[in-house]
Amino acid sequence: MRLVASDIDGTILGHDGKISDRTIRAFHACRDAGVELVFVTGRPPRWLHPLEEQLGHTGRVICSNGAVVWDLEADRLVSARTLAIETVLEARRIIKGLRPAALFAAETLTGFHLEPGFIENESSELLAEFTPAPLKQTLTDDDSVVKFLAIVRDGTPDDFLAEVAPAVEHLAATTHSSPGVAMLELSLPGVNKAVTLAEYAGALGIDAADVVAFGDMPNDIEMLRWAGHGYAMASGHPEAIRAAGQQAPHFDDDGVAQVLEARLAALGVQFS
């Protein structure tokens, strides 16, 4: 175990926005033992504060499902893989043809663009920061889209994914990370968490066989398959569980911490 790669939401972070004390201790013990840590998330860079505030993490983070690498300490972009604006608008047209009620948003390197109605909660912090408007009006050639989002209010995310993914596969890679809301996340074709994690590990001279990865949703599948030791959360999506070689206990039981404690103990590391 030379590198631990972990998803955030549903894996180490709960709906209350908290990382458990036990999980924090386990990550600190890994770091103290010389094990590299990297977090691999669908979140954009602006939503990484739990890592800084609760874990004290200052390293690089793989964001937006592999489309972005962000340096937390320097607070700067390291690299990005982006969708062209015309690609985004064409994908929107195709999805709209399949599901006329679909609404859309685009995560860019400089902000967030969302259509009216994309967010139902009028008290959302996003609505306080970004004004809804048609994407054709707000996206410009200067924008670099790292993640394109599509949402519908009926059906399941799995059914929405099954319908949309094959229709836009020539334009974008499609996945989802929501347990209940039918929202899809589209990135540049060939971009996923595994691709960027493999590059990150390779730059450190670490092979997949020495990587322990944790995740819980379809956007983690490629990463869990790539890592030499991929653990899906017992509380995770059935497809993620099938894809992983191993299973971590339920999120509510500090599953990631349990696995790390056992693996550190096997290496002779003792901690309280």
Side-chain angles (χ1 to χ4, degrees), residues 20-57:
S20 75
D21 290 342
R22 184 177 181 182
T23 301
I24 291 171
R25 287 196 301 270
F27 279 125
H28 286 176
C30 286
R31 187 169 57 198
D32 293 344
V35 177
E36 296 283 347
L37 298 177
V38 65
F39 294 91
V40 191
T41 179
R43 288 184 171 220
R46 68 173 182 276
W47 283 354
L48 299 179
H49 50 276
L51 298 180
E52 298 174 283
E53 296 170 2
Q54 299 180 52
L55 274 175
H57 186 68

Side-chain angles (χ1 to χ4, degrees), residues 18 63 86 100 110 121 123 143 168 181 193 198 204 207 231 250-251 258:
K18 300 294 185 182
C63 304
E86 57 267 26
T110 56
N121 179 10
S123 63
D143 288 309
V168 299
V181 179
K193 291 185 176 186
L204 296 174
D207 295 330
Y231 289 86
H250 196 286
F251 169 83
Q258 287 196 49

Side-chain angles (χ1 to χ4, degrees), residues 95 99 101-105 117-120 149-154 160 181-184:
I95 298 171
R99 300 290 293 270
L103 295 166
F104 304 88
F118 182 85
I119 294 177
E120 291 184 303
L149 303 171
I151 192 170
V152 292
R153 305 300 181 195
D154 60 324
F160 194 25
V181 179
M183 184 173 71
L184 303 183

Side-chain angles (χ1 to χ4, degrees), residues 145-176:
V145 177
V146 292
K147 188 164 67 170
F148 180 48
L149 303 171
I151 192 170
V152 292
R153 305 300 181 195
D154 60 324
T156 69
D158 289 340
D159 290 342
F160 194 25
L161 178 63
E163 185 177 10
V164 168
V168 299
E169 62 182 357
H170 61 297
L171 297 170
T174 309
T175 188
H176 82 78

Side-chain angles (χ1 to χ4, degrees), residues 216-266:
D216 72 319
M217 292 302 290
N219 65 330
D220 295 311
I221 286 174
E222 293 88 354
M223 176 176 72
L224 295 174
R225 285 176 175 160
W226 174 82
H229 307 275
Y231 289 86
M233 307 304 293
S235 46
H237 190 283
E239 292 295 330
I241 292 173
R242 279 193 284 271
Q246 302 174 78
Q247 193 171 138
H250 196 286
F251 169 83
D252 291 338
D253 297 322
D254 292 322
V256 169
Q258 287 196 49
V259 172
L260 292 178
E261 288 165 1
R263 296 191 71 96
L264 286 168

